[in-house]
Amino acid sequence: MSQTQETKIYDAAPSWSNFVTVKTTLPRRPFPPNSARQPFHTERLTLRPPTKDDLQFLRRLRTQPEVMQWTAAKRIDNDLAETESRLTPFLTPNDALTYNFAICLKETGEFVGIGGFHNGGFDQGEGKSLFGWPEVGYMFLKEFWGKGFGTEFLKGFKELWSKLERETVEGLRVDERSVVRKADGSAEEVLAALTTDVNGRSQGVLRKCGFEEFARWRDEAEGGTGDVLPSYRWCPLREVRE
Ligand SMILES: CC(C)(COP(=O)(O)OP(=O)(O)OC[C@H]1O[C@@H](n2cnc3c(N)ncnc32)[C@H](O)[C@@H]1OP(=O)(O)O)[C@@H](O)C(=O)NCCC(=O)NCCS
C-alpha cells in the first residue's frame, strides 16, 4: 500500500501486555528533597526547585492557550485549584517522587517555564508510565519561545538527571521498542519523551538534545486524541560512558 498521508501505517500504541522485562538502572528514589537541590545555572537560565510561591506564575503559564494546546488535556486550567493541584506534586513531601524544576532567567530570576520529571510514574505498574521508563516534559511562557531556552533547559536537565545516584533494577517492564541492549543483555537506562508530530518546536528541542525517535503511533484509544505521537528516548548513562 502506498504510504500517503491518509494510509500511512503507524507503529502500534504502547501496550503494557506487550512489554518486556529488563535489567537496567534507574535514579534512586526518593529523589534528593527540594531542600537539598541547589539552583543549577546554564548560560542564561536557572533551574531551581518549585515552591508554593510559584502558584501565580504557574497559573499564568497554564492559562496560556498557546501553551496548553500541547498538553494532554489540550485546554487551560479551569481554576486556581486545578493549577494548585499541578504544583503540589513538586512540593515536599511529594518531591520524593518527582524531579521537576522552575525555570527562571539567570539574570533577573523571572519565571519563564517549568520542566523535568513530573509525573512520578515508572516501575510502578500498568498505566503509571507510557513506556515503563521515566519521561521528561517542559513548557515555557509563550513570550519566551524561539530563543533557544527549551534546548538550553533540556541540556541542563540532562546533566542533572545523569548525575543522580543510580540503583540496579532487575525486573522493569518496558516497551520493547524503547530498549537499547548492552553487550551483557541488560538494557541501557532510558529517559523517554512524548510529543505530537505537529509540535515542530518540541521535536526540534529533543533532536538537538540527542534524543532519538523509537516509535511513532496514533492515539486511537477510547478517549484518545487521534494525534500522531512521536516517541523519543535518550540513554543518560551511555552518554556519561562515551
Ligand atoms: C516546545 C517549547 C518548550 C520549545 O521551546 P523553545 O525555547 O521555543 O525551543 P528552542 O528555541 O530551544 O528550539 C526550538 C527548535 O525547533 C525549531 N522549530 C521551531 N518550529 C519548528 C517546526 N515547525 N518544525 C521543525 N522545527 C521547528 C526551531 O527552529 C528551533 O531550532 P533552532 O534553534 O535550531 O532553530 C516551547 O515552544 C513550549 O513551551 N511550547 C508549549 C508547551 C510544549 O509544547 N511542551 C512540549 C510538549 S511535548
Side-chain angles (χ1 to χ4, degrees):
M1 195 192 301
S2 78
Q3 300 228 326
T4 64
Q5 198 58 31
E6 290 72 36
T7 59
K8 179 163 172 27
I9 298 166
Y10 295 102
D11 302 315
S15 163
W16 172 263
S17 54
N18 293 333
F19 279 13
V20 293
T21 301
V22 294
K23 177 181 176 184
T24 186
T25 56
L26 286 173
R28 185 184 294 281
R29 284 154 299 160
F31 288 108
N34 282 350
S35 57
R37 296 180 200 172
Q38 297 302 319
F40 179 85
H41 303 290
T42 64
E43 192 189 335
R44 297 171 297 166
L45 301 173
T46 298
L47 281 50
R48 61 156 176 82
T51 74
K52 61 178 177 20
D53 296 335
D54 289 321
L55 181 59
Q56 289 304 334
F57 297 120
L58 198 61
R59 177 83 182 136
R60 190 171 145 218
L61 179 69
R62 295 186 60 92
T63 50
Q64 290 193 335
E66 297 87 344
V67 172
M68 296 305 287
Q69 67 172 311
W70 300 112
T71 64
K74 292 184 184 259
R75 59 159 179 83
I76 64 168
D77 286 352
N78 287 325
D79 49 32
L80 192 61
E82 186 174 8
T83 305
E84 197 167 12
S85 76
R86 305 310 293 253
L87 180 59
T88 310
F90 316 134
L91 306 180
T92 311
N94 304 319
D95 52 348
L97 291 179
T98 56
Y99 199 62
N100 210 34
F101 291 87
I103 307 165
C104 306
L105 296 184
K106 188 157 90 176
E107 245 176 51
T108 61
E110 185 181 355
F111 176 97
V112 296
I114 193 156
F117 172 62
H118 55 94
N119 71 5
F122 59 93
D123 90 3
Q124 288 171 7
E126 184 172 4
K128 294 289 184 187
S129 157
L130 207 45
F131 307 108
W133 298 107
E135 283 167 40
V136 63
Y138 38 78
M139 53 208 286
F140 286 74
L141 288 164
K142 64 177 185 211
E143 297 79 25
F144 295 94
W145 292 5
K147 301 175 194 296
F149 287 146
T151 306
E152 192 169 321
F153 156 74
L154 189 56
K155 285 186 176 160
F157 180 75
K158 282 173 55 180
E159 194 177 327
L160 286 166
W161 189 256
S162 306
K163 285 181 178 157
L164 287 168
E165 200 183 325
R166 259 44 198 196
E167 62 187 355
T168 300
V169 178
E170 289 284 346
L172 188 70
R173 292 194 66 183
V174 296
D175 189 311
E176 188 166 18
R177 297 164 299 186
S178 67
V179 175
V180 179
R181 289 278 172 201
K182 292 203 268 190
D184 65 1
S186 66
E188 288 280 2
E189 180 185 321
V190 163
L191 178 64
L194 183 73
T195 183
T196 83
D197 67 340
V198 286
N199 195 344
R201 277 196 184 82
S202 185
Q203 290 185 77
V205 167
L206 289 165
R207 289 196 200 106
K208 283 192 290 175
C209 291
F211 281 70
E212 57 183 354
E213 188 177 318
F214 66 85
R216 177 175 286 248
W217 47 284
R218 193 183 280 281
D219 183 14
E220 287 172 322
E222 208 183 318
T225 58
D227 290 349
V228 174
L229 305 174
S231 310
Y232 286 81
R233 72 178 169 212
W234 168 68
C235 300
L237 301 193
R238 183 170 60 174
E239 200 150 298
V240 169
R241 280 196 304 274
E242 276 165 4

